[in-house]
Amino acid sequence: MPLHRLTAITVGVPDVEATAAYYTDFGLTPLGGNAFATSDGGEQFRLAHSAQRRLLEIGIGVDDADDLDRVERQLAALDLVAERSDTAVTVNEPIAGFKAVVSIADRIEQEPVPATPYNGPGRIERAGRAPGIEREGQVRPHKLGHVVIGSTDQAATQRFFTEGIGFKVSDEVPSLAAFMRCSTDHHNVLVQQAPVNFLHHTSWQVDDIDEIGRGAMAMLEDNPERHIWGLGRHHIGSNFFWYLKDPAGNFSEYYSDIDCIVDDALWKPGVWEGAKSLFNWGPPPPPSFLMPEDLAALMTGSHSSE
């Protein structure tokens, strides 16, 4: 597909310093100026001051100027005015209010990580102790995998991404959410119906389930209040997950083993309801995951972490 990755996102928060410290603990690499990098994706996360927590900007990578021409035409068909440069198309999403920047960008080249060996019935893949329990050092996310956005008009924001930018729908929860991709990952953006426009969570790829566990336990060792939901496995997308909460109220997810769609002809989008729209196994999601505790304050414009 002409789209190939999420490049970077900018998130507005009331307390930039405290939130920056959180994402440093989370394993992102500080670059200065409240910008952060992943090990494979380069600079992918930025923080800026905002009275309320919110998504300010999302970046999507394309290969060349022809792709930009196509995106510009598609946005015009939705009566959206975009700003065009030699290397990017910039447009404001009209419902949730964030800026989308579609730019010519290098594709992420990920060196294959050796498969984690697991012993099973009649199958011995490793001798000695499991490598996952002998790992040391901080967990470092490989890339930004996806962003989940709450919109007061889910259908309109979905059209912005599909008809305007060119995302493809992987799976849907009727009248509630759409899982959309701009790469071979199952989803890079999920838009859900919400009573207020807000950023629900960002999701970051790590090697395997052991890295999810190691990362989450390190985050919780001195700050148990950061825990939101996990460990579990999603049904839609299939990825293992653990969710934590930053000081502004945004959730961040460690994930591994997500579905990949390398041939559109071999993938049929599904329609899901009930528990499987949320998870396959694990503890049930807490009410604060489904309806973050600060949403009422966000609706009245009174939320602040300062």
Side-chain angles (χ1 to χ4, degrees):
M1 62 190 307
L3 311 179
H4 60 74
R5 61 175 290 196
L6 293 181
T7 53
I9 60 170
T10 302
V11 177
V13 297
D15 189 337
V16 174
E17 183 177 358
T19 310
Y22 171 94
Y23 285 99
T24 301
D25 290 347
F26 191 78
L28 303 185
T29 301
L31 300 175
N34 298 310
F36 298 81
T38 57
S39 62
D40 296 342
E43 182 179 330
Q44 290 203 281
F45 188 68
R46 308 179 191 110
L47 291 169
H49 182 267
S50 175
Q52 295 181 308
R53 66 179 184 92
R54 57 188 295 253
L55 178 65
L56 297 176
E57 181 177 302
I58 184 168
I60 300 103
V62 297
D63 288 322
D64 53 42
D66 288 342
D67 297 328
L68 296 180
D69 291 341
R70 180 168 44 253
V71 170
E72 189 175 22
R73 290 194 302 269
Q74 291 167 177
L75 291 168
L78 295 179
D79 295 324
L80 296 175
V81 178
E83 178 182 333
R84 174 67 189 271
S85 71
D86 291 341
T87 59
V89 170
T90 301
V91 63
N92 290 320
E93 191 277 339
I95 304 300
F98 55 83
K99 180 187 297 183
V101 180
V102 183
S103 62
I104 298 172
D106 293 335
R107 290 180 177 248
I108 291 181
E109 299 291 340
Q110 291 190 290
E111 291 294 327
V113 173
T116 304
Y118 291 104
N119 291 337
R123 187 187 77 254
I124 300 175
E125 294 184 359
R126 60 174 175 80
R129 300 186 191 279
I133 68 168
E134 296 189 325
R135 295 173 187 164
E136 297 180 349
Q138 188 175 21
V139 171
R140 297 289 185 184
H142 286 281
K143 68 176 183 179
L144 171 64
H146 58 266
V147 178
V148 175
I149 302 163
S151 171
T152 56
D153 189 339
Q154 188 274 334
T157 302
Q158 178 179 336
R159 284 195 301 273
F160 173 83
F161 279 105
T162 56
E163 298 178 23
I165 305 296
F167 279 62
K168 296 180 180 180
V169 173
S170 300
D171 284 299
E172 291 186 276
V173 181
S175 302
L176 183 62
F179 295 74
M180 297 172 286
R181 67 187 186 276
C182 64
S183 73
T184 56
D185 287 349
H186 175 272
H187 58 283
N188 302 105
V189 168
L190 188 161
V191 176
Q192 65 181 44
Q193 184 66 36
V196 63
N197 300 313
F198 76 108
L199 173 63
H200 187 275
H201 74 264
T202 59
S203 188
W204 306 85
Q205 182 193 56
V206 296
D207 286 354
D208 55 25
I209 193 170
D210 282 301
E211 293 300 89
I212 292 175
R214 287 202 322 116
M217 292 303 291
M219 290 289 285
L220 298 174
E221 184 174 2
D222 296 321
N223 299 276
E225 73 283 356
R226 290 172 168 173
H227 173 72
I228 292 297
W229 184 30
L231 173 71
R233 186 160 195 157
H234 287 301
H235 193 89
I236 303 176
S238 302
N239 48 297
F240 296 109
F241 66 82
W242 198 320
Y243 293 89
L244 304 153
K245 184 170 70 172
D246 75 19
N250 306 299
F251 302 150
S252 60
E253 174 191 14
Y254 290 118
Y255 82 89
S256 68
D257 192 30
I258 199 166
D259 291 338
C260 289
I261 302 172
V262 296
D263 187 338
D264 291 340
L266 300 179
W267 183 268
K268 181 180 180 181
V271 177
W272 306 93
E273 296 184 16
K276 285 188 175 180
S277 69
L278 289 170
F279 69 119
N280 187 280
W281 59 258
S288 60
F289 180 83
L290 303 174
M291 188 66 66
E293 295 169 350
D294 64 346
L295 282 199
L298 289 173
M299 291 173 70
T300 62
S302 60
H303 173 77
S304 172
S305 296
E306 292 182 320

